[in-house]
Amino acid sequence: MSTTASPTLRQVIGLPTDLPRLSDATLVLIDYQNTYRTGVMALPAADRALAAGARLLERARAAGTRVIHVVNDGGPDTPYDVRAEVGAISPQVVPRDGEPVVVKTFPNAFHQTDLQQVLTGLEAGPDLILAGFMTHMCVTFTAQGAFNLGYRPTVVADACATRPLSGPDGALLSADTLHDAALTTIGDLFGVVVPTAEVLPV
């Protein structure tokens, strides 16, 4: 059994690993909705990740970073009803005037949304900083979608969270295990993963 990690696909094909400057990037906050703090979709680390997301947002705003908020709309009477309090963006990261809100219905925030058009309208460059819920689902697939479109996503690990699920053999995968596995998938090819916002240069 190997005791050393394999090289990432990014390393194998020579993709860059340098960090974007906050002031040059666009921050995309994904699904920081109340549904992840209570009820059937509550995440064990939601409040901790939200606090990290709020610090990231504060730092980004101070740097003049473009900010886009993304929400998932599951429709009326669902945990993702954006017309109800359960689907609203949590108050720690509520949008300011002028910060666009993109509504999606698929895990990839680029799929059948106007996110790419919003980025174009903001004259955004290729560097995107991603954070939000859930790590293994909408964060991962938005990072993949961004990568497929030629953007350079960077994911802030402590500003993301997910939930425990059963694995293929029925064994429980803890939220932390699934979170780490998702970030590892992103870091293998789709983007760069940083532990906290504080490591990003301004």
Side-chain angles (χ1 to χ4, degrees):
M1 178 180 293
S2 175
T3 58
T4 59
S6 300
T8 66
L9 287 169
R10 296 185 68 84
Q11 292 169 328
V12 170
I13 62 181
L15 291 175
T17 58
D18 52 308
L19 300 182
R21 301 183 67 84
L22 268 174
S23 54
D24 295 331
T26 302
L27 175 62
V28 181
L29 299 178
I30 302 166
D31 297 356
Y32 276 134
Q33 293 165 264
N34 290 327
T35 189
Y36 288 116
R37 304 179 69 195
T38 184
V40 66
M41 291 306 302
L43 309 180
D47 287 341
R48 183 177 65 204
L50 261 173
R55 293 192 299 271
L56 168 61
L57 179 57
E58 180 181 17
R59 195 161 184 261
R61 284 170 171 165
T65 306
R66 305 167 191 85
V67 177
I68 299 172
H69 302 261
V70 175
V71 293
N72 190 73
D73 185 10
D77 303 318
T78 72
Y80 298 96
D81 183 358
V82 297
R83 289 151 294 273
E85 182 64 20
V86 69
I89 294 174
S90 296
Q92 296 94 322
V93 291
V94 69
R96 286 182 178 172
D97 289 344
E99 293 178 352
V101 178
V102 172
V103 179
K104 66 179 179 61
T105 55
F106 291 88
N108 174 5
F110 288 93
H111 185 67
Q112 295 185 9
T113 74
D114 62 351
L115 177 55
Q116 192 169 13
Q117 289 83 354
V118 171
L119 286 163
T120 299
L122 292 175
E123 299 183 345
D127 288 310
L128 305 182
I129 298 169
L130 309 181
F133 299 146
M134 294 179 287
T135 321
H136 82 286
M137 188 56 62
C138 296
V139 174
T140 294
F141 291 106
T142 298
Q144 180 187 21
F147 174 83
N148 290 347
L149 291 169
Y151 292 100
R152 297 194 299 251
T154 296
V155 175
V156 181
D158 72 341
C160 303
T162 193
R163 69 198 203 279
L165 290 171
S166 295
D169 61 357
L172 179 67
L173 291 177
S174 71
D176 286 345
T177 297
L178 191 55
H179 171 79
D180 288 346
L183 293 172
T184 302
T185 296
I186 293 167
D188 192 27
L189 178 61
F190 303 134
V192 174
V193 178
V194 296
T196 69
E198 285 71 26
V199 306
L200 295 171
V202 176

